[in-house]
Amino acid sequence: NWQNTMILGSENFVERQIYNAADNKRPVKLLERAFQNRTAILLAGGPSLDEALPWVARHRDNLVVFAVSRISRQLLHAKIEPDFVFSVDPTELSFDVSKEMFGFSDRVVFVYSYHAVPALVSQWQGVAFYLGTRLPWKSRLNEPNFDGSGPTVTNTALTTAHFMGFKRIILAGVDLCFTREGFTHAKGSDEHLAGPRFNLTSLQVETNGGSMAPTSCDFETAIRSLAFQAKALTASGCKIINVSANAAKVENIDYLPLSEVSLGDDPIDAAAVVASKIAHSKHDPRYYEHMLTELKQVRFQIRAITRLAQNARRINEEMYNEQGLIENYKNKQTLDRIEKKFKREYRAYSKLIKGFGIRTFIKLAKPFVDEEWTAEEAKQLGNVFYDAYLNGSARLLKLMDDTIQRLHARQQEDSGTPDFGLMIERCRKDQSFGRVRLWRKKFPRSIIPPEFDAVFEEFEQRFVEIASNKNTRHFARAK
């Protein structure tokens, strides 16, 4: 059931992908092999993170530090700033556990999946790179890029580190299992503050120390994918080490205690390496213009599909007489022609709509295939089919319209004479109040009209309140 639900969750990813089109400007491919033969440490949120942080602090200058966004709170408390922070989760809860990352300086680089939660992507103050494709359909704007691999942010960060050229990757806090006491995450996390869990699953895995520990469905899936990734990475000459005896044992990953890990004395400035790569990359000054053209063209296609679906819905409803029988077979032929248009002329976007509304289309499934449909059943199923098209296309059109408006607002941010009213209106709708900090850095005080001073202060205050609020939905859920 968990696996099927995971597979059916695609519409949320597509929604975030289109939403983030306004900000997915710099592909992570720019950092390919940027750190040849270096050592990185990947920090995740497992209970063993607590043991590793003091060691990381002592050796900070000789490591490139990768961190999942959810441990930002613990890193700030330990006064450790990562070089790269990662996020992939599209859900709003991801913002709740990651928002402390806004406490890092501009030197920290944000690497995120194309479908990461927009509240993190749109309000980030520093350099950012996206993973994957910009748009969920074939487009010239989908430039070559590295996509990482899931299912967890840890899996993604690991493969990205290898893509950047690191030859040794140390894992800390990558436990993928729970402690005997029922703690699932490191100290300072919402999960740890909520207390131990008593509803641990019956799934058990062996640890590096030789004992057995409980785990969850998503962690168990992550263990299998991590083993698969590690096999490919180690075959290419990359060495992967986990430093915790209490972490799940994973094939092709060596266990080595922190006391036995040796590092060179050569310091590395990751921010300087990234800045050099950006300086030598090409920047598209008309990115927003090109994206607007693309979205408007796709919106036109989806509107055409909507009109076809509306016509088909009407014909399907009128095609049957009071006895539930097909009265005019010409109507049936018209429906067949419409279906051919869906499959041929509008194939790419019909597929997009189906993927976006997959749960509605599943209602068409008939469990007993040997039974013939009655005319009434066929009529009702036809209505469900076209309603699924209409619902999916309506949601997509609203998403397109919002993204087009967002792109117009971003264009103003690049203008010498920005329309602050338009920018403010869009950010208020998106609840992305943190963009006010970008505006203050970007625009001279002299060009900001005095009437917007109060709004700037309001946005700053609301961003601080949201970022500092500890009583989040995620904490309530953890408790």
Side-chain angles (χ1 to χ4, degrees):
N1 181 64
W2 183 86
Q3 289 175 335
N4 289 336
T5 302
M6 180 178 66
I7 291 168
L8 294 176
S10 62
E11 66 267 31
N12 201 13
F13 292 84
V14 175
E15 180 179 347
R16 299 309 197 195
Q17 185 174 21
I18 296 173
Y19 190 115
N20 288 336
D23 297 307
N24 289 349
K25 296 176 66 176
R26 190 176 282 128
V28 78
K29 185 172 173 60
L30 296 176
L31 301 182
E32 185 174 7
R33 295 192 294 274
F35 297 89
Q36 289 282 61
N37 302 317
R38 292 288 190 168
T39 294
I41 186 166
L42 169 53
L43 305 177
S48 69
L49 176 67
D50 302 323
E51 308 162 13
L53 289 181
W55 184 89
V56 174
R58 288 196 301 273
H59 299 280
R60 180 64 187 87
D61 293 340
N62 306 110
L63 289 165
V64 176
V65 178
F66 283 55
V68 302
S69 58
R70 66 171 297 123
I71 68 166
S72 298
R73 182 189 305 172
Q74 293 96 309
L75 293 182
L76 288 171
H77 186 263
K79 295 182 171 54
I80 296 173
E81 197 165 70
D83 295 300
F84 297 93
V85 61
F86 282 76
S87 181
V88 301
D89 200 328
T91 67
E92 295 294 338
L93 292 177
S94 178
F95 176 76
D96 288 346
V97 299
S98 303
K99 61 187 180 180
E100 281 84 0
M101 62 188 275
F102 293 119
F104 295 140
S105 73
D106 290 348
R107 289 179 60 84
V108 177
V109 177
F110 184 25
V111 181
Y112 63 94
S113 177
Y114 67 85
H115 51 64
V117 63
L120 293 178
V121 175
S122 64
Q123 299 183 99
W124 181 246
Q125 309 292 307
V127 175
F129 295 88
Y130 74 93
L131 292 151
T133 55
R134 284 186 176 128
L135 297 167
W137 56 80
K138 188 176 181 180
S139 168
R140 61 186 177 83
L141 296 180
N142 286 337
E143 59 183 290
N145 195 21
F146 181 69
D147 62 359
S149 53
T152 72
V153 64
T154 301
N155 297 105
T156 300
L158 175 63
T159 53
T160 305
H162 179 257
F163 176 77
M164 291 182 185
F166 290 98
K167 284 298 181 183
R168 184 171 62 155
I169 305 170
I170 303 168
L171 307 180
V174 184
D175 296 1
L176 300 177
C177 60
F178 312 142
T179 68
R180 291 174 180 272
E181 296 78 21
F183 286 105
T184 60
H185 292 77
K187 292 178 182 176
S189 64
D190 283 351
E191 289 86 353
H192 197 282
L193 291 171
R197 281 177 55 173
F198 299 103
N199 61 337
L200 297 175
T201 70
S202 58
L203 286 172
Q204 297 278 317
V205 292
E206 183 183 356
T207 67
N208 287 324
S211 60
M212 300 299 292
T215 191
S216 62
C217 287
D218 50 349
F219 279 173
E220 197 271 338
T221 302
I223 290 169
R224 284 188 277 118
S225 63
L226 189 59
F228 181 78
Q229 290 171 327
K231 182 178 181 180
L233 270 54
T234 53
S236 69
C238 180
K239 189 173 183 61
I240 307 173
I241 299 166
N242 196 313
V243 294
S244 174
N246 296 318
K249 185 177 181 180
V250 180
E251 291 182 36
N252 302 299
I253 295 180
D254 297 331
Y255 164 57
L256 189 68
L258 279 170
S259 58
E260 297 180 23
V261 176
S262 60
L263 298 171
D265 297 325
D266 185 17
I268 180 169
D269 187 344
V273 173
V274 171
S276 173
K277 290 292 182 180
I278 292 174
H280 291 91
S281 66
K282 294 180 181 179
H283 170 66
D284 181 5
R286 299 174 62 195
Y287 174 80
Y288 296 132
E289 182 183 339
H290 292 153
M291 186 60 74
L292 278 167
T293 300
E294 177 80 12
L295 291 181
K296 288 176 181 177
Q297 289 174 345
V298 174
R299 184 176 62 177
F300 178 83
Q301 298 287 322
I302 294 174
R303 283 175 173 168
I305 292 173
T306 301
R307 289 192 293 270
L308 282 173
Q310 288 171 336
N311 189 33
R313 177 67 164 78
R314 178 185 57 79
I315 293 171
N316 186 72
E317 185 67 37
E318 297 173 353
M319 190 166 61
Y320 300 88
N321 60 24
E322 292 181 358
Q323 287 72 43
L325 301 175
I326 294 178
E327 202 164 55
N328 189 343
Y329 277 92
K330 287 185 178 180
N331 288 338
K332 178 68 170 62
Q333 292 169 350
T334 302
L335 290 182
D336 290 341
R337 286 195 294 271
I338 290 174
E339 182 62 23
K340 285 180 180 178
K341 282 193 172 185
F342 285 154
K343 290 181 177 179
R344 295 175 184 174
E345 190 174 342
Y346 300 106
R347 180 180 178 182
Y349 305 114
S350 292
K351 186 177 179 181
L352 175 67
I353 290 171
K354 284 184 176 180
F356 200 67
I358 188 68
R359 293 176 188 275
T360 309
F361 278 97
I362 283 174
K363 294 177 183 177
L364 295 166
K366 186 173 174 64
F368 305 109
V369 294
D370 292 337
E371 295 181 11
E372 289 189 9
W373 290 346
T374 65
E376 182 61 25
E377 284 177 325
K379 174 183 175 181
Q380 293 304 320
L381 284 167
N383 287 344
V384 171
F385 179 74
Y386 297 118
D387 284 344
Y389 263 114
L390 291 171
N391 292 337
S393 59
R395 289 174 60 199
L396 270 172
L397 284 173
K398 183 182 185 307
L399 188 58
M400 292 282 181
D401 290 341
D402 284 345
T403 305
I404 287 170
Q405 292 172 22
R406 192 172 298 108
L407 284 161
H408 284 309
R410 296 290 191 271
Q411 281 184 317
Q412 293 304 312
E413 293 182 352
D414 279 355
S415 171
T417 55
D419 183 341
F420 286 101
L422 178 61
M423 291 158 50
I424 287 168
E425 179 186 7
R426 187 67 247 170
C427 281
R428 197 181 291 280
K429 287 182 179 178
D430 292 341
Q431 301 284 291
S432 56
F433 303 111
R435 292 196 74 82
V436 71
R437 295 187 174 183
L438 292 171
W439 303 341
R440 282 176 161 161
K441 289 179 183 177
K442 194 165 194 174
F443 301 118
R445 182 68 187 85
S446 58
I447 74 165
I448 302 174
E451 62 263 30
F452 293 118
D453 287 348
V455 179
F456 273 43
E457 288 303 316
E458 176 205 346
F459 277 23
E460 177 71 33
Q461 185 61 34
R462 294 188 70 173
F463 177 66
V464 170
E465 289 173 357
I466 292 170
S468 60
N469 178 28
K470 296 292 191 296
N471 294 317
T472 62
R473 291 159 298 176
H474 182 268
F475 187 40
R477 180 180 176 184
K479 286 195 289 186

